[in-house]
Amino acid sequence: MVQPGGGMPDMQQILQQAQKMQEQLVAAQEELANAEVTGSAGGGLVTATVSGSLELKDLTIDPKVVNPDDTETLSDLVVAAVRDAMGNAQRLTEQKLGPLAGGLGGGGGMPDLVGFGLPG
């Protein structure tokens, strides 16, 4: 005689694991939002600071690079510094959320966990 639910994972256990992963995800997202990451260009002549949620927080320009006759170079350095900071923030996000995504079956695509209160 086959037992009801035989071979099926315990749904309560699955829900508890999903809840735990959601809590870890929220904690990691909060940590990222509070993190600040910098990037630079021109050997440090321009530095940009962004939050882990990719919000530009600060931009510092060394007066040596300010030339009214060559604003194009300054613009290029600002763009490069912001891109560097954004790339660093993206790597931080991957470090913080990567293990959680793996626990949710990440990589090839996250399973639809909306029903568990998790983003799908």
Side-chain angles (χ1 to χ4, degrees), residues 7 18 22 27-28 37 39 41-42 55-56 68 74 78 80 82 91 93 97-99 107 120:
Q22 180 181 19
V37 181
E55 178 184 351
L56 182 62
L74 179 57
V78 168
V82 172
R91 283 186 285 284
T93 298
L97 298 182

Side-chain angles (χ1 to χ4, degrees), residues 1-46:
M1 188 170 219
V2 176
Q3 301 231 345
M8 297 292 290
D10 179 7
M11 190 54 128
Q12 184 64 30
Q13 184 178 358
I14 292 171
L15 290 173
Q16 288 172 347
Q17 288 174 340
Q19 179 65 31
K20 182 178 179 183
M21 283 188 280
Q22 180 181 19
E23 290 167 3
Q24 290 171 337
L25 181 63
V26 168
Q29 287 172 330
E30 287 175 6
E31 187 177 339
L32 282 171
N34 294 324
E36 290 191 352
V37 181
T38 61
S40 66
L45 292 173
V46 178

Side-chain angles (χ1 to χ4, degrees), residues 4 10 15 18 21-22 25 33-34 43-44 49 54 59 63 65 72 87-88 93 97 100 107 114 118:
D10 179 7
L15 290 173
M21 283 188 280
Q22 180 181 19
L25 181 63
N34 294 324
T49 303
L54 305 180
L59 183 67
V65 77
E72 188 175 324
N88 290 338
T93 298
L97 298 182
L100 293 174
V114 175
L118 294 173

Side-chain angles (χ1 to χ4, degrees), residues 40-48 59-67 73-74 77-78 81:
S40 66
L45 292 173
V46 178
T47 59
L59 183 67
T60 304
I61 301 171
D62 188 308
K64 289 185 275 188
V65 77
V66 179
N67 178 351
T73 297
L74 179 57
L77 289 172
V78 168

